[in-house]
Amino acid sequence: MMHHPSFRSIRAALSAALTVCLAAAALPAAASSHREAPGITQYPKLDGTDLYVFRSYEPGRSDFVTIIANYLPLQDSYGGPNYFTLDPDGVYEIHIDNNGDAREDLTYQFKFQYDLKNIELPIGGQRVAIPLRNAGQIAAGDASARNDAETYTVSQINGARRQPAGVVGKLANATGGANQFAKPIDNIGNKSIPDYAAYANSHIYTVTLPGCPMPGRLFVGQRKEGFGVNLGEIFDLVNLPASRVIGSRSGGSNATADKNVTSLALELPIACVTHGDAVIGVWTTASLPRSRLVGNEPLRQIILDRNLVQVSRLGMPLVNEIVIGLKDKDKFNASEPKDDGQFATYVTNPSLPALVEILFGSAGVRAPSVFPRTDLVAAFLTGVPGVNQARNGVASEMIRLNTALPVTPKGSQNSLGAAACFVAGALTLSNPGCDPAGFPNGRRPGDDVVDIELRVAMGVLLPPGSGKPASADLPYTDGVLVEDAQFDNAFPYLTTPLPGSPNGSNGLPSNPPTP
């Protein structure tokens, strides 16, 4: 039976939740985890980039939770001829903790297979293999022109992810019962795939889940990058005038606007992922066989079993990017939530708010002066009582979602999430635009986590007299607006990827200039 929090408990707890939601984060970053650690730069196909966890807001689907795990960052749509396949040696996993002990209770494990068809053409009496991934047009229901095939399976594991006894079965196509699913080829261009949206949608599967009486949905494939950020300027010591950092939430340069990403998307019945409590915690990982490592010592230090080494980990956005110290970034990627006490100092004594003060102190910006931030650690690493804290509440970093909180439909969502519920540091549920269903209670595609975390980190939610600087209430932003209007209203929510060619299928520009 789910626990439904009262608005009184939400009122008290959301303030704490937002105050600590990545309170250590003070700078926006390149999509929430792109190339965030030295080791993962060597394995881009295993690089987890963003994780979305939210109660499905597609009409009629509110009894489901959607989880979208993105991998392989900064894809240029024209990145041929090979484009962006996933690693057949890799083990990609979505983990769910449904009892608050910081250990996985459910894992959905994705494994990929790549097969070459080897299309050949008769050239001067010889059969010669073509150099491209397609020999003609591709459409929904007709992939005969593909020169390869990328397929995958999804296993469900109950309990510890590396215990063979925990594997209870594979997800199966509700139509026909097959356990192997096809991944669509990336959006090569409008001539190769004239209607990519229809083609990709033909790879959305209704699936049966082991031990669950209700079906779910599954999609794996390329999507348009949904995370917006003013990237180059941010990493160049926030090379922006103060009037841009404290000003309009739109109009800035979105460095990822022309990028694609690869999504592993699951829609699961809430009743089959919760266990006596409405709160779940979710994180993703990717692992490689030990033999595939290229000599990175921090990754070699933590071996989950004799063969696999975890090289990527992602829960809350921006953690490894801008909270964890450089010396521990690889260690964090190889770690598990149950061991997160080792990283607590990065939250209790965050360094980046001080850096923002150094950069913009002349404009009156001051960092909060409350140390150590033990209150922030309690809420950030355990969830917040009455909102998204599980029963046990073991300190750990992951996205926590209270699946009992009501859905806010597309068109009514506020991209500042629950931060929009605050007036002068106090939670005001009657405030226009108040959206308690938003980040940090899970994360929807349209939640502008950069702006939310930047404002929270600079102290907007601290009570007066607690070391809250006068500058805490300034409208900090990276100038790149993310909102629900930029996304679809149906699974898998992230939109059709950008095509590699701007031309239409006849070779002419899709949008020719007006004479």
Side-chain angles (χ1 to χ4, degrees), residues 111-115 149-153 180-183:
K111 291 185 178 180
F112 292 85
Q113 180 175 334
Y114 180 84
D115 294 303
E150 199 173 4
T151 58
Y152 63 97
T153 60
Q180 191 172 58
F181 303 93
K183 175 178 173 290

Side-chain angles (χ1 to χ4, degrees), residues 250-331:
S250 61
S253 174
N254 182 9
T256 61
D258 62 347
K259 305 298 183 182
N260 293 325
V261 72
T262 299
S263 295
L264 280 58
L266 276 172
E267 187 183 55
L268 305 168
I270 291 174
C272 292
V273 297
T274 54
H275 184 67
D277 193 326
V279 176
I280 60 173
V282 183
W283 72 100
T284 65
T285 62
S287 303
L288 276 175
R290 190 175 186 178
S291 60
R292 281 280 306 276
L293 292 186
V294 293
N296 188 286
E297 280 302 317
L299 293 176
R300 290 182 181 276
Q301 292 174 5
I302 302 178
I303 310 297
L304 296 180
D305 65 12
R306 291 181 300 172
N307 300 312
L308 289 175
V309 179
Q310 182 179 299
V311 297
S312 178
R313 170 187 168 186
L314 181 63
M316 297 283 279
L318 307 174
V319 169
N320 207 2
E321 200 100 20
I322 58 174
V323 177
I324 304 298
L326 183 61
K327 70 183 183 70
D328 284 330
K329 287 182 180 293
D330 287 329
K331 187 176 183 180

Side-chain angles (χ1 to χ4, degrees), residues 367-390:
S369 56
V370 182
F371 303 104
R373 302 298 295 269
T374 53
D375 57 329
L376 308 185
V377 173
F380 172 51
L381 296 180
T382 63
V384 180
V387 177
N388 61 348
Q389 184 181 61

Side-chain angles (χ1 to χ4, degrees), residues 4 48 83 135 143 145 160 206 230 255 288 307 332 334 340 355 413 422 503:
H4 293 263
Y83 298 96
T206 298
N230 201 338
L288 276 175
N307 300 312
F332 181 85
D340 280 347
L355 178 58
Q413 296 174 14
F422 288 82
N503 296 329

Side-chain angles (χ1 to χ4, degrees), residues 144-156:
S144 58
R146 280 193 64 171
N147 195 23
D148 59 10
E150 199 173 4
T151 58
Y152 63 97
T153 60
V154 186
S155 297
Q156 180 178 309

Side-chain angles (χ1 to χ4, degrees), residues 56-77:
S56 300
Y57 53 85
E58 177 182 341
R61 304 294 292 185
S62 61
D63 289 337
F64 294 80
V65 60
T66 294
I67 302 173
I68 306 171
N70 286 349
Y71 286 89
L72 216 171
L74 304 175
Q75 298 178 14
D76 290 317
S77 59

Side-chain angles (χ1 to χ4, degrees), residues 170-483:
K170 289 184 169 68
L171 274 61
N173 193 332
T175 302
N179 298 123
Q180 191 172 58
F181 303 93
K183 175 178 173 290
I185 199 168
D186 297 331
N187 197 353
I188 297 170
N190 296 321
K191 186 174 184 178
S192 290
I193 313 171
D195 188 350
Y196 192 89
Y199 167 67
N201 286 343
S202 70
H203 294 79
I204 297 175
Y205 299 99
T206 298
V207 293
T208 58
L209 306 162
C212 180
M214 301 172 61
R217 287 192 290 184
L218 170 68
F219 173 81
V220 173
Q222 192 179 51
R223 298 281 88 188
K224 184 180 184 297
E225 175 63 79
F227 190 93
V229 64
N230 201 338
L231 179 55
E233 290 86 351
I234 294 303
F235 283 133
D236 187 20
L237 294 178
V238 195
N239 190 3
L240 295 166
S243 61
R244 291 279 300 280
V245 177
I246 306 167
S248 173
R249 294 183 61 211
S250 61
S253 174
N254 182 9
T256 61
D258 62 347
K259 305 298 183 182
N260 293 325
V261 72
T262 299
S263 295
L264 280 58
L266 276 172
E267 187 183 55
L268 305 168
I270 291 174
C272 292
V273 297
T274 54
H275 184 67
D277 193 326
V279 176
I280 60 173
V282 183
W283 72 100
T284 65
T285 62
S287 303
L288 276 175
R290 190 175 186 178
S291 60
R292 281 280 306 276
L293 292 186
V294 293
N296 188 286
E297 280 302 317
L299 293 176
R300 290 182 181 276
Q301 292 174 5
I302 302 178
I303 310 297
L304 296 180
D305 65 12
R306 291 181 300 172
N307 300 312
L308 289 175
V309 179
Q310 182 179 299
V311 297
S312 178
R313 170 187 168 186
L314 181 63
M316 297 283 279
L318 307 174
V319 169
N320 207 2
E321 200 100 20
I322 58 174
V323 177
I324 304 298
L326 183 61
K327 70 183 183 70
D328 284 330
K329 287 182 180 293
D330 287 329
K331 187 176 183 180
F332 181 85
N333 267 352
S335 67
E336 297 182 288
K338 64 183 179 62
D339 300 318
D340 280 347
Q342 63 187 313
F343 304 115
T345 300
Y346 290 117
V347 179
T348 60
N349 297 74
S351 60
L352 285 173
L355 178 58
V356 172
E357 178 178 329
I358 292 171
L359 295 172
F360 297 102
S362 61
V365 172
R366 297 291 181 268
S369 56
V370 182
F371 303 104
R373 302 298 295 269
T374 53
D375 57 329
L376 308 185
V377 173
F380 172 51
L381 296 180
T382 63
V384 180
V387 177
N388 61 348
Q389 184 181 61
R391 290 165 298 179
N392 294 328
V394 174
S396 54
E397 188 280 308
M398 61 183 76
I399 288 185
R400 290 178 174 84
L401 173 70
N402 188 335
T403 61
L405 282 176
V407 168
T408 302
K410 183 176 185 251
S412 298
Q413 296 174 14
N414 191 315
S415 63
L416 289 177
C421 301
F422 288 82
V423 177
L427 180 63
T428 306
L429 295 173
S430 61
N431 186 45
C434 176
D435 187 6
F439 183 77
N441 180 47
R443 180 188 175 191
R444 303 167 302 195
D447 290 338
D448 196 342
V449 293
V450 171
D451 283 8
I452 295 171
E453 293 180 355
L454 182 57
R455 296 177 187 206
V456 169
M458 298 312 293
V460 67
L461 301 175
L462 289 172
S466 63
K468 178 177 181 177
S471 60
D473 293 320
L474 294 173
Y476 296 98
T477 180
D478 71 332
V480 177
L481 180 64
V482 177
E483 58 184 350

